[in-house]
Amino acid sequence: MEIRDPQVFLDYLGSAHGRTRRVIGCISAADLEWAPAPGRFSLGDLVRHLAGIERYLYAETAHGRPSQYPGHGRELADGLDAVVGYYDRLHAEARDLFAALPPEVFGQKVLTPTGSPITLWKWLRAMLEHEAHHRGQLYLMLGLRGVPTPPLFGLTSEEVRARAG
């Protein structure tokens, strides 16, 4: 899928972000720093990571600047309200930066943090894939904790099966 229209990208980003934000809303304060194993990301780490990566890696790179990714540690935001606030604030900042990109740059190359050139629209598509990957982790981790989560696209697999011909 080639993304050359900034508004099409922003609309899709809003939809993808909304799906992620809904599952983040299922995290309780008690589960925020739970991790499935020692040395693995906690739920809070994942939320902080998604926020920081979008704002300080993808948005900066999209503007031709080096990554400023600060990591995902609790020093960035600690406690459920602070973590969700951090996520929402950094997403709003990133969205504003993406909205400021002129249409013609979507076909131009940017340099990734590894120094590899990539067409901007492909870089932004990779960001959306990255978010989907971590959204899946949030769903799995919440499932391991026994936390009910919303269906991704409106129906559960059981509801889809029940409606099948």
Side-chain angles (χ1 to χ4, degrees):
M1 170 175 125
E2 187 171 328
I3 309 167
R4 294 219 179 230
D5 181 337
Q7 193 55 55
V8 169
F9 167 71
L10 291 171
D11 290 347
Y12 188 71
L13 175 64
S15 295
H17 178 76
R19 289 188 291 278
T20 304
R21 185 64 176 79
R22 279 190 293 282
V23 74
I24 288 171
C26 297
I27 301 170
S28 70
D31 283 338
L32 183 65
E33 298 306 334
W34 177 82
R40 300 295 183 178
F41 275 36
S42 69
L43 289 160
D45 290 336
L46 283 172
V47 176
R48 288 184 291 265
H49 172 70
L50 282 168
I53 241 8
E54 179 185 36
R55 169 59 187 86
Y56 294 114
L57 182 126
Y58 285 99
E60 290 300 313
T61 301
H63 280 271
R65 299 185 292 254
S67 169
Q68 299 298 314
Y69 177 62
H72 57 269
R74 291 174 80 168
E75 69 280 359
L76 299 168
D78 196 14
L80 185 59
D81 290 342
V83 170
V84 172
Y86 179 74
Y87 180 80
D88 289 342
R89 179 176 57 82
L90 267 55
H91 173 70
E93 289 177 15
R95 191 190 183 292
D96 288 347
L97 286 166
F98 295 135
L101 294 167
E104 60 272 11
V105 302
F106 278 68
Q108 296 175 2
K109 300 280 186 181
V110 295
L111 285 179
T112 69
T114 64
S116 302
I118 187 171
T119 306
L120 177 59
W121 71 263
K122 291 180 181 179
W123 179 244
L124 296 175
R125 181 182 64 188
M127 179 187 72
L128 295 167
E129 291 174 8
H130 175 261
E131 181 167 333
H133 159 73
H134 287 304
R135 183 186 320 120
Q137 287 181 299
L138 290 169
Y139 269 96
L140 175 65
M141 290 168 66
L142 287 167
L144 292 171
R145 302 296 290 163
V147 176
T149 54
L152 188 58
F153 294 110
L155 296 174
T156 65
S157 62
E158 294 80 13
E159 291 168 333
V160 171
R161 186 172 182 199
R163 293 176 186 210

